[in-house]
Structures are given as structure tokens and as C-alpha cells.
Amino acid sequence: MKKILLGFLAIASFQTIMAQGLHITAALKNVPDNTTASLIDGMANKVVDSAKVVGGAFQLKATVASPGIFVVSFAGMQAQIPMFVGNDQLSISGDLKDAKNMIYQGSVTQDLYLQYMKVLTPQIEGLFGAKNAGATATGASKDSALKQVSIRERGIANSLTELIKTNNQSPVSTLFLLQVTNFVPSVKENLSSYYDLLSGAAKTGPFADYISKTIATAGVGNMGTVLPEFKQNDVNGKSVSLSSFRGKYVLVDFWASWCGPCRAENPNVVKTYNAFKNKNFTVLGVSLDQDKARWLEAIKKDGLTWTHVSDLKYWNNAVAVQFGIQSIPANFLLDPNGVVIGKDLRGEDLNRILSEKIK
């Protein structure tokens, strides 16, 4: 009877903790008094709680549907604290100016997140460095840089594989698998095999759902295939269909006002659009924005005078999900029959292909 009672008490205690949700208690140096600390849901990209810092201390709370990325930001300060947490009782201590040495207690997923970061971050930085070197190099130097890119990509893939095998039931593994697919082609091409290494909780939640949908849509948008039909509302709330552009060359361009690389690429698209807009070519912009005002402001500021659509659902944009878009900018160039003749075009790529096709 005593064992049964203790069991019930343990269950009740666990349920109480779960009901409390995520509770963050922080004691940090170098945060001015009365600074507003905000807890941001990384998936929804919205503030879920905020508090004033007093003597370096503050508390933040939220209810978490499934473990994921959250960020603590500070008003007027660039410093941020990313974390991977669920309904944990997490304590954070340390110096905000020395983020690498902060101490986290109370979250198994955050511990694993930091382990992944420690192993993969130096390798990823090395990969980007090699890619940048290759972009400006010529001759033998370029060949050497490209060889380094290949070596570093294999190293990241191998490290990721070992981490996943060791932690195959954690959603943290799912997150990093999703992230690495964005810059290591071999992982993206074999996503299904990597995903098969996961089990249990690692195959639940938003990251798992996203990967499952990506695998299911793997053939969508391949070169030489017809891009599937979709409909979404334009800036005036009017439904626009992809099929309404048949008979023209059209660039289906995925972007967002908050996406720096997208905004940097926009001048190239504008230049090509202006050169070919009277030659049977147009652009259909699909935005992953949430804030309509910012979306419209970016359209005006960047001079994007073509048709734009969005459901204002951020990464859950229905068309982006339908086509398995994992990062932006992303685009598909279609011929007048709706067949994909170009993908993820950058710089002068779009102009070059259209110059070949449209005489």
C-alpha cells in the first residue's frame, strides 16, 4: 500500500511540474536594471513572456506544446540566449558578455543542444570559410578551396551521424538534422536514410513533421517536372493561382521581409524583371512573412512591382510546406508550360537562362 501511495505521489508531482510549463530563472551579470528580458518562441517567431531585470535576476514562463527552440532577448542589447527546451525548470547563470561559459541546469534537451553546438559549430564555420574562399579564388586556389569544402561537408555529415546514433530519440537530433540539410548536399539527398536513424520522441513535434513533409515532397519541383498548382491570396486578399501564369516564363520566388539574403538578392531579380517583363516573363513572389505591414513595406522599398501572395503564416506558409522549402531565398523558374527549367537561381543566373530562352 505504501509503494502504491508513493507511486501516486510521484505521478502527482510529475503532473504538477508539467502543468507549470517552462519556467526560466536567470541570474546574469552585465544586464542593466529595468532591462526588459523577452522569451521568444523560435518556431512561431513571437514573444511569449517578458520581465524586467532587477539585480541581474528575472523569471520567464511559458507553456510548451513540444520541445523546441526558444530565445531570450534583451531590449536595447544585441546579446541573445538561444536554448532548446520543453516544460523544464531551467536556471541560467553567468555573464551575458561571456555567453559560451553560461551555466544551464534543469533541461536535458538544452544540455544536448549545447553538446551538438560544441561539436558542429566549429565545423560549420570552417565549411562556410572554405566556401567563401572558393567563391573568390581562381585556378589552383579555387580547386584547393573546393576540395576543402568537400572534406568539411563529409566531416559534418560524419559527426552528425554519430551524434544522431547516440541520441536517436531526442528532438534535438531532429532539429540539427533539419539544419544541416540546408548546407550539406549529401545529407539533404539522403534525408530519408538519416531520418530512419531516429525513433521515439525524435519523430514527433514540428521538426519531425517538417522533415516528414520534406521527404514526402522530395520529387516536387525537380528539373523537367511540372510545378504543382497552388492558390494563395495577394496583397489585396484576392486569390491568385499559379496556373493563371501559364503561357509565360515565370519565376516563383520564395522570400520574406525579415530574410537578409532575400533582400540582398532582390536587386538582381528586379534588374532581370525589368529587362524581360515585356518579353513574356514575370515573377510571382511567395512571402513567408507574418506581419502584413512589413511585407508591404519591403515590397515597396525594394521595388518589387510584380504579383505577390502570402498567407502570413511564416514557415508554415502552405505553399512553402507543399514544396518542402527549408530555407529562403528559394525559387523555381518555369517555362510557358509550367515546367521547371531552373532552381534556386542567384546573381546573374536568372538573366543568363532567360537570355538563352527568350530571343
Side-chain angles (χ1 to χ4, degrees):
M1 188 67 185
K2 184 177 180 181
K3 291 181 179 179
I4 294 174
L5 179 59
L6 289 173
F8 276 121
L9 289 173
I11 292 171
S13 177
F14 174 76
Q15 290 176 336
T16 300
I17 291 172
M18 291 301 293
Q20 291 174 348
L22 170 63
H23 187 179
I24 298 172
T25 303
L28 303 177
K29 297 178 181 177
N30 285 309
V31 185
D33 278 355
N34 294 316
T35 297
T36 298
S38 298
L39 181 63
I40 302 170
D41 182 333
M43 286 295 291
N45 193 33
K46 67 178 182 180
V47 175
V48 294
D49 194 20
S50 60
K52 292 291 185 180
V53 178
V54 178
F58 60 92
Q59 295 186 33
L60 297 167
K61 297 179 180 180
T63 300
V64 180
S66 58
I69 285 290
F70 286 80
V71 177
V72 177
S73 66
F74 301 88
M77 305 179 71
Q78 291 186 339
Q80 294 185 329
I81 304 175
M83 60 193 73
F84 194 109
V85 290
N87 289 312
D88 300 318
Q89 308 301 294
L90 178 69
S91 67
I92 309 172
S93 60
D95 190 331
L96 194 58
K97 292 184 177 180
D98 186 19
K100 289 184 178 180
N101 291 313
M102 280 190 183
I103 299 173
Y104 303 85
Q105 293 180 310
S107 173
V108 173
T109 52
Q110 174 65 1
D111 292 343
L112 182 56
Y113 175 78
L114 293 174
Q115 181 184 339
Y116 263 92
M117 291 291 287
K118 182 177 181 179
V119 173
L120 292 178
T121 298
Q123 296 185 59
I124 293 170
E125 290 175 347
L127 172 61
F128 287 158
K131 285 186 174 182
N132 290 336
T136 57
T138 58
S141 296
K142 188 176 186 68
D143 292 339
S144 177
L146 292 176
K147 184 177 180 180
Q148 279 299 310
V149 167
S150 180
I151 291 172
R152 292 181 184 277
E153 286 178 345
R154 285 198 301 272
I156 292 171
N158 290 337
S159 294
L160 177 68
T161 300
E162 291 305 310
L163 285 165
I164 287 177
K165 286 181 177 179
T166 306
N167 307 282
N168 69 324
Q169 296 196 31
S170 174
V172 178
S173 297
T174 318
L175 167 68
F176 278 91
L177 172 57
L178 182 58
Q179 290 184 331
V180 172
T181 61
N182 290 326
F183 46 82
V184 178
S186 65
V187 175
K188 184 174 183 178
E189 292 164 4
N190 297 284
L191 180 57
S192 181
S193 297
Y194 280 92
Y195 191 57
D196 286 342
L197 297 174
L198 301 174
S199 63
K203 285 196 169 182
T204 63
F207 304 116
D209 290 344
Y210 199 88
I211 291 178
S212 295
K213 290 175 182 177
T214 299
I215 293 171
T217 59
V220 175
N222 283 349
M223 293 288 287
T225 64
V226 174
L227 196 68
E229 169 72 322
F230 66 82
K231 293 182 180 180
Q232 206 155 83
N233 289 346
D234 66 12
V235 296
N236 297 312
K238 180 182 177 181
S239 180
V240 175
S241 65
L242 177 61
S243 58
S244 66
F245 293 88
R246 284 291 172 86
K248 289 187 175 184
Y249 288 91
V250 57
L251 182 75
V252 181
D253 188 32
F254 292 85
W255 73 295
S257 66
W258 47 261
C259 169
C262 303
R263 303 293 293 276
E265 186 61 33
N266 278 342
N268 295 323
V269 183
V270 170
K271 178 182 176 182
T272 302
Y273 174 75
N274 289 333
F276 289 92
K277 64 182 180 180
N278 296 320
K279 299 180 181 180
N280 208 37
F281 169 73
T282 192
V283 179
L284 174 58
V286 182
S287 171
L288 275 65
D289 272 284
Q290 287 180 295
D291 187 314
K292 185 173 183 179
R294 291 182 179 179
W295 175 38
L296 298 180
E297 180 185 5
I299 291 173
K300 181 178 180 180
K301 186 174 182 179
D302 291 4
L304 314 181
T305 57
W306 46 80
T307 302
H308 294 271
V309 299
S310 181
D311 57 12
L312 299 176
K313 292 183 179 179
Y314 195 46
W315 284 106
N316 290 318
N317 179 289
V319 183
V321 172
Q322 178 184 354
F323 295 161
I325 301 299
Q326 296 181 359
S327 62
I328 53 175
N331 58 54
F332 301 93
L333 178 61
L334 313 182
D335 72 6
N337 295 313
V339 175
V340 179
I341 58 173
K343 292 177 62 175
D344 296 333
L345 306 176
R346 302 284 185 273
E348 291 296 315
D349 291 344
L350 177 60
N351 186 79
R352 174 180 54 78
I353 294 178
L354 289 176
S355 296
E356 295 172 355
K357 298 291 183 179
I358 302 176
K359 304 298 182 181

